[in-house]
Amino acid sequence: MQLANRHGALNEIEFSEYIVKVQALADALGATPDFPAMRDEVARARELDQFASAHDAQLAFTLRAMQSAWSPGYVHQQAAALGFVPGSLPGRTVLPGSSPGSAPLLSLMFDSLAALAEDPEQTALREVNLLLDVAHVPQAEQPYQRMRLVAASLAQTMDGILTDDRGQLLSPEALDSIGNDLETLYNDLASRELHAGSALARRLFS
């Protein structure tokens, strides 16, 4: 049983349910299970959940239109020019990772209602969001550097400004500071054998 994920830590009730199910399987197989102590495992789960909560970074930039609004088709066109492909959800495109089965490097998202409109090209968008799920992408892919390059390119071609999710303009100094914080985060994850992009990290931060 997994000790923690983004929904929280394993609790006593879930542990007890797990014991019941494993015991039933053991009985059917004529086996004798060796269970760990519930108190110890729940304590481990809470500690892991605390670590994960403090190191779970989903970085978001917002690109806002300075003058003319954009249509969904225009956004998709500009994203496709940078290597993005349609995602699984309306209004979402993703920049694929370098290896098959890997998580997307970045996601570009806008209002799903606009994407599902009867005539999307008549829908006006004034902002789109560029997202990086830090723990899901290997540091070797340089996802933050890619994110900055993509954001700068889109801002230039789409006549937009780059802000955080509160609408504050992101200066080069602010972007550098975010990059430094991410380096510390990568190191902290690695210290727990939870390297960003690894199977363990992707399960924990899911």
Side-chain angles (χ1 to χ4, degrees):
M1 170 166 277
Q2 185 165 327
L3 294 177
N5 59 23
R6 281 176 172 159
H7 295 291
L10 175 73
N11 59 42
E12 289 85 352
I13 294 175
E14 291 168 332
F15 187 89
S16 297
E17 292 173 345
Y18 168 74
I19 294 296
V20 170
K21 291 179 179 179
V22 173
Q23 184 64 62
L25 177 61
D27 291 344
L29 296 173
T32 302
D34 181 12
F35 295 115
M38 179 173 69
R39 180 179 298 177
D40 293 342
E41 296 309 303
V42 170
R44 286 180 60 211
R46 288 173 178 160
E47 189 277 330
L48 180 59
D49 182 57
Q50 290 174 356
F51 174 85
S53 296
H55 294 83
D56 190 2
Q58 293 175 287
L59 187 60
F61 292 165
T62 299
L63 185 63
R64 303 180 188 275
M66 293 181 63
Q67 297 183 25
S68 301
W70 311 306
S71 69
Y74 178 73
V75 172
H76 281 297
Q77 179 184 13
Q78 298 304 317
L82 296 174
F84 284 75
V85 298
S88 58
L89 300 174
R92 182 173 186 257
T93 62
V94 298
L95 185 63
S98 60
S99 58
S102 63
L105 295 182
L106 302 169
S107 298
L108 185 69
M109 303 180 68
F110 57 82
D111 186 0
S112 59
L113 293 179
L116 294 171
E118 185 174 340
D119 187 358
E121 295 312 301
Q122 297 301 313
T123 303
L125 298 170
R126 298 208 63 85
E127 66 177 49
V128 296
N129 296 308
L130 188 62
L131 307 175
L132 166 59
D133 197 342
V134 177
H136 282 238
V137 184
Q139 185 179 8
E141 297 269 19
Q142 297 186 314
Y144 182 64
Q145 291 88 334
R146 300 280 294 278
M147 187 178 192
R148 289 188 64 170
L149 290 172
V150 166
S153 179
L154 290 175
Q156 181 177 14
T157 58
M158 296 170 64
D159 191 23
I161 57 171
L162 193 63
T163 74
D164 62 18
D165 53 6
R166 295 170 296 179
Q168 298 296 313
L169 190 66
L170 287 171
S171 65
E173 292 77 17
L175 294 170
D176 289 342
S177 178
I178 293 170
N180 292 334
D181 290 341
L182 286 180
E183 288 298 319
T184 300
L185 176 62
Y186 285 128
N187 292 335
D188 288 346
L189 291 174
S191 71
R192 291 288 296 260
E193 301 298 324
L194 291 166
H195 298 81
S198 67
L200 283 176
R202 291 177 65 179
R203 283 204 300 270
L204 176 60
F205 297 99
S206 65

